[in-house]
Amino acid sequence: MKQDEIFVTQPFLPPLKEFLPYLERIWDSKLVTNCGPFHQEFEQAVCAHLGVEHIALFTNGTIALVTALQSLRISGEVITTPFSFVATSHSLLWNGIRPTFVDIDPETLNLDPAQIEAAITPHTTAILPVHCYGRPCDTRAIQQIADTYNLKVIYDAAHAFGTRDDGGSILRHGDLSVLSFHATKVFNTFEGGAIVCPDARTKTRVDHLKNFGIVSEVNVVAPGINGKMSEFNAALGLLQLNHMDRMMAGRKRVHDAYLTHLAGVRGIRCLNPADEAGFNHAYFPILVGDEYPMSRDRLYQELKNNGIHPRRYFHPLISDFPMYRGLPSANPANLPVATDAARRILCLPIYPDLDIAEVARISRLVADPARCPANA
Ligand SMILES: *Cc1c(COP(=O)(O)O)cnc(C)c1O
């Protein structure tokens, strides 16, 4: 029997009939964009949901990252991680900034604070870390370095919707945090993003920048861009928030099932968060060790042969792509932990509606790939 294909993620879609009244409101009002009523309503609702005070909504996370760097007038060199989605570093290039890659911590796969200082030069103006897989960076250590060297900190929080630490939302850290609401993320508006700002003044500046720099009918104060979220996406976000508790519970259920099934599988290390309580279960990464009977790429292929489509997030490293690999900091010798992780990492399927029986089947395949039905 042919089984359904299972992909690494599947966007959560609320019941269509729940969305229709929202669409009717848009059709009736003819307000489709330009920070209309749904934009304002969703902005407030998502602030309340996340426990932060100031959010500016964007058309996607990448434009939000580019704008965040613009808003703080970041230039020169910025320290960042090679172990991320390529948009992290691309946002620097779009601002004419030179990325400096620093290696990651082998436990969290986040930027290693102990290695940041050695990479700082007189041109360094900021640090751009990523809360990889939704697991918090060492925000305290990073802030300490930033304070010492007078650097800004912009968190790429594309994976970190809903993640909390002891003090509340992790989005409160740094000078700005940037979210993505892309279809593949924990919380989605098909396409979308946001900048979390520390105060109203910063949000006002970001709001001007995302709307061409326009402040009034006759006044443009900055070379802004068009980064506004449309009413359609904002309405979808507003509705999606109603389902968040159930979605998060669904993710946790899948996560816990993997942990149970994969415990004790030789050569497989589940990358478990230190603080499970505030975690958003955005991804389920495993590291394939030397004791495992086959390479990560063989396992990846075996799973695909059986209709399971995990992803090698993040392989290749950003620093391996042609527009980055000429940089001195992109040398693999400078990035041994990231280079090793990129060779071993595999993100298994996780999404709220993933059937627990499928999680068991995927786990059995990982535990004993030689006995995959496709190889029988
Ligand atoms: C998805 C993602 C982005 C880009 O967000 P988009 O909304 O797709 O533009 C940036 N950084 C990271 C780490 C991501 O995973």
Side-chain angles (χ1 to χ4, degrees), residues 60-62 65 84-85 87-88 130 156 158-159 180 182 185 192:
N60 63 57
T62 304
L65 271 174
S84 179
F85 180 60
T88 307
V130 177
D156 180 339
H159 301 174
S180 166
H182 183 257
K185 304 302 202 288

Side-chain angles (χ1 to χ4, degrees), residues 19-64:
F19 195 38
L20 294 179
Y22 291 74
L23 292 179
E24 273 165 15
R25 251 177 75 187
I26 295 174
W27 259 245
D28 288 346
S29 70
K30 312 279 188 286
L31 297 170
V32 299
T33 185
N34 286 3
C35 308
F38 276 126
H39 189 287
Q40 291 168 39
E41 215 179 310
F42 176 43
E43 213 164 67
Q44 284 179 8
V46 79
C47 274
H49 179 89
L50 292 170
V52 296
E53 279 188 58
H54 307 281
I55 280 186
L57 299 174
F58 274 77
T59 183
N60 63 57
T62 304
I63 295 287

Side-chain angles (χ1 to χ4, degrees), residues 247-270:
M247 282 160 60
M248 292 308 227
R251 286 183 172 277
K252 177 161 168 46
R253 192 178 42 92
V254 172
H255 174 98
D256 290 349
Y258 274 130
L259 281 186
T260 307
H261 291 304
L262 294 176
V265 175
R266 202 173 136 79
I268 295 294
R269 186 183 135 210
C270 299

